[in-house]
């Protein structure tokens, strides 16, 4: 299934909405039934296409927030006030509505238990995840997959959110996760505060000597700053994989 998920020819499929619920004040979780879905790997994404009555189309890319073991697809969609697609997906889509979707897309920004089982040398190296905001979406899928299959690979997540109310994927996040709040921390908060910088990376991520495989996902400025700081701390640049999105919320 893994090979098919990466290499198959992509076609547009019909995605039926089963649920659209607010995950945080700005992000909705869409639960989709997609007949013909071939399966995916944690870290892959999909293209969503909306078509208006006049034939105008708009496309956006969203990371999959559900692991391969779940038959339904989950998307975490952040509402952007000036967006073409996200306001419709968060505010207007209702149960049994449908739109077009194609995927899975991407074979580089992925991690799976099966890949580690096939490469025991790689599996001995830990996996470090670093997320900014909605960039945690693919890591929710990775952590869920990791836990469901009881993987022995060590995995950690360092996750930056504005406030506690904006933390995504709370049903999946566990003791391997460190959350830092950048705007407001509640009384009694035991996590980190402030933006992720070199000092926080040094405290809260695997050391360069452990040769971690590192995945960074978030807005472009965030992702590039984190990658630069990691290299400055002595991490191998070739072991750092980055998924960025710009002001339009699109993956790149």
């Amino acid at each position: 299934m893994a090979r098919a998920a990466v290499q198959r020819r992509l076609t547009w499929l019909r995605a039926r909405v089963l649920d659209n619920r607010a995950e945080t004040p700005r992000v909705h979780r869409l639960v989709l039934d997609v007949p013909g879905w071939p399966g995916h790997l944690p870290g892959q994404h999909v293209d969503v296409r909306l078509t208006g009555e006049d034939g105008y189309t708009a496309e956006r890319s969203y990371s999959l927030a559900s692991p391969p073991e779940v038959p339904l697809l989950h998307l975490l969609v952040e509402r952007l006030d000036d967006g073409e697609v996200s306001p419709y997906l968060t505010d207007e889509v209702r149960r049994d509505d449908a739109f077009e979707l194609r995927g899975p897309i991407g074979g580089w920004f992925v991690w799976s238990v099966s890949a580690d089982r096939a490469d025991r040398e790689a599996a001995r190296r830990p996996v470090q995840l670093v997320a900014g905001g909605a960039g945690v979406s693919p890591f929710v899928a990775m952590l869920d997959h990791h836990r469901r299959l009881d993987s022995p690979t060590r995995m950690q997540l360092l996750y930056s959110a504005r406030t506690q109310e904006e933390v995504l994927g709370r049903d999946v996040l566990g003791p391997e996760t460190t959350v830092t709040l950048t705007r407001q921390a509640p009384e009694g908060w035991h996590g980190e505060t402030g933006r992720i910088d070199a000092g926080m990376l040094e405290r809260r991520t695997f050391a360069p000597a452990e040769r971690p495989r590192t995945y960074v996902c978030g807005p472009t400025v965030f992702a590039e700053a984190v990658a630069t700081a990691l290299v400055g701390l002595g991490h191998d640049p070739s072991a750092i994989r980055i998924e960025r999105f710009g002001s339009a919320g699109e993956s790149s």
Side-chain angles (χ1 to χ4, degrees):
M1 178 181 291
R3 181 175 299 175
V6 173
Q7 297 181 354
R8 67 182 292 273
R9 184 176 180 178
L10 298 179
T11 57
W12 290 102
L13 301 172
R14 183 178 183 272
R16 182 170 68 92
V17 178
L18 299 183
D19 193 13
N20 178 2
R21 60 182 182 268
E23 183 98 350
T24 71
R26 299 189 304 129
V27 177
H28 278 224
R29 180 182 291 263
L30 298 186
V31 180
L32 309 174
D33 177 33
V34 186
W37 182 250
H40 64 279
L41 299 175
Q44 291 187 301
H45 62 276
V46 296
D47 288 339
V48 169
R49 181 167 69 181
L50 305 179
T51 303
E53 294 181 359
D54 60 356
Y56 175 78
T57 62
E59 297 179 21
R60 292 293 183 271
S61 296
Y62 294 100
S63 294
L64 291 162
S66 47
E69 296 76 28
V70 174
L72 302 176
L73 300 187
H74 290 220
L75 304 182
L76 294 175
V77 180
E78 181 177 14
R79 190 190 193 285
L80 302 171
D81 294 337
D82 58 350
E84 283 188 305
V85 173
S86 65
Y88 174 79
L89 293 178
T90 56
D91 300 349
E92 299 185 37
V93 161
R94 298 291 183 267
R95 182 180 175 88
D96 291 328
D97 285 347
F99 51 78
E100 292 178 290
L101 174 151
R102 68 178 176 187
I105 300 170
W108 184 71
F109 196 82
V110 299
W111 176 84
S112 69
V113 170
S114 60
D116 273 7
R117 286 173 177 168
D119 189 343
R120 294 184 179 180
E121 175 62 29
R124 284 192 282 268
R125 298 169 57 193
V127 174
Q128 180 66 56
L129 314 174
V130 185
V136 78
S137 293
F139 301 150
V140 170
M142 290 184 190
L143 288 170
D144 200 350
H145 174 65
H146 180 272
R147 193 169 299 139
R148 286 171 184 269
L149 298 188
D150 195 25
S151 169
T153 298
R154 290 181 298 153
M155 179 177 287
Q156 292 183 167
L157 167 64
L158 176 58
Y159 173 23
S160 173
R162 294 180 182 180
T163 65
Q164 188 176 28
E165 290 72 26
E166 295 189 57
V167 173
L168 299 167
R170 299 183 191 209
D171 57 326
V172 172
L173 304 184
E176 73 287 311
T177 300
T178 298
V179 176
T180 181
L181 303 180
T182 61
R183 292 197 176 179
Q184 182 180 2
E187 185 177 354
W189 174 252
H190 297 296
E192 293 273 354
T193 57
R195 298 181 183 277
I196 295 176
D197 57 13
M200 192 181 299
L201 290 167
E202 192 168 24
R203 291 192 306 273
R204 294 293 195 168
T205 64
F206 292 112
E210 299 192 68
R211 301 174 57 240
R213 296 166 286 170
T214 302
Y215 297 76
V216 182
C217 187
T220 298
V221 173
F222 167 88
E224 293 180 352
V226 168
T228 298
L230 287 167
V231 172
L233 290 170
H235 289 271
D236 180 1
S238 67
I240 302 172
R241 302 187 180 191
I242 303 174
E243 186 81 8
R244 310 171 181 85
F245 55 83
S247 59
E250 300 169 354
S251 298
S252 61

